[in-house]
Amino acid sequence: MERIPVIIKRIDWLDQETREADVCFEVGKGSYWAFCHPCDFAEGEAACVGIDFVYIEDITFETMFSYNRDEEQKLVPMVNDRTSYCCYGKVIGVNPVVVDCGDLRLDLGALTHDDRVVGSYVYFVISRLDVVAV
């Protein structure tokens, strides 16, 4: 898991006893919300985190590789859930497939082993971004 230096901006506890929280962190030019368990961060802390996520939308391979026509690299939070994102990015590697979404790179696993997708712009949706201390 890639170590990403961030600043913890805010912690909203879902259950402090079990250490579950939504955490807002700053990386690059953006701020992002993610679910965290166990959450042992403090607001204002500089930390190294790992990023994981859960897919929400089962889209076709064709849609994934054709929807990002403007060749964007960004994460756009969903209106109804701050830890869910529409992801726009550029494939930078395979085995595993890694997508550069601007401030964050996301590992899509064994989506394909065809290195011809490197350099392609893609779109996908995740239901929850997760962050853990590394």
Side-chain angles (χ1 to χ4, degrees):
M1 181 175 289
E2 180 181 7
R3 292 172 53 94
I4 302 164
V6 302
I7 302 294
I8 305 299
K9 302 302 280 183
R10 186 169 152 195
I11 299 172
D12 285 354
W13 291 103
L14 303 172
D15 186 338
Q16 199 161 6
E17 186 176 311
T18 61
R19 311 298 296 165
E20 292 182 352
D22 285 344
V23 175
C24 181
F25 62 95
E26 189 175 88
V27 60
K29 298 177 184 175
S31 291
Y32 304 93
W33 281 96
F35 174 77
C36 183
H37 179 261
C39 181
D40 295 316
F41 297 117
E43 290 183 0
E45 173 184 7
C48 283
V49 301
I51 299 292
D52 201 5
F53 57 91
V54 179
Y55 280 108
I56 187 174
E57 191 173 304
D58 186 21
I59 60 174
T60 66
F61 202 72
E62 181 180 327
T63 300
M64 177 180 262
F65 283 88
S66 66
Y67 194 78
N68 189 355
R69 292 180 199 99
D70 294 332
E71 299 183 346
E72 297 178 285
Q73 292 176 260
K74 63 183 181 178
L75 297 178
V76 179
M78 302 290 265
V79 174
N80 58 344
D81 184 352
R82 65 185 177 190
T83 64
S84 297
Y85 294 87
C86 294
C87 304
Y88 299 83
K90 182 178 183 179
V91 178
I92 59 172
V94 294
N95 296 323
V97 173
V98 177
V99 177
D100 183 346
C101 294
D103 292 324
L104 297 173
R105 293 186 299 205
L106 302 178
D107 179 339
L108 301 184
L111 180 68
T112 183
H113 298 289
D114 187 344
D115 62 1
R116 292 178 293 176
V117 303
V118 173
S120 298
Y121 287 85
V122 295
Y123 163 82
F124 55 99
V125 177
I126 55 176
S127 66
R128 190 178 79 200
L129 189 65
D130 290 358
V131 66
V132 295
V134 291

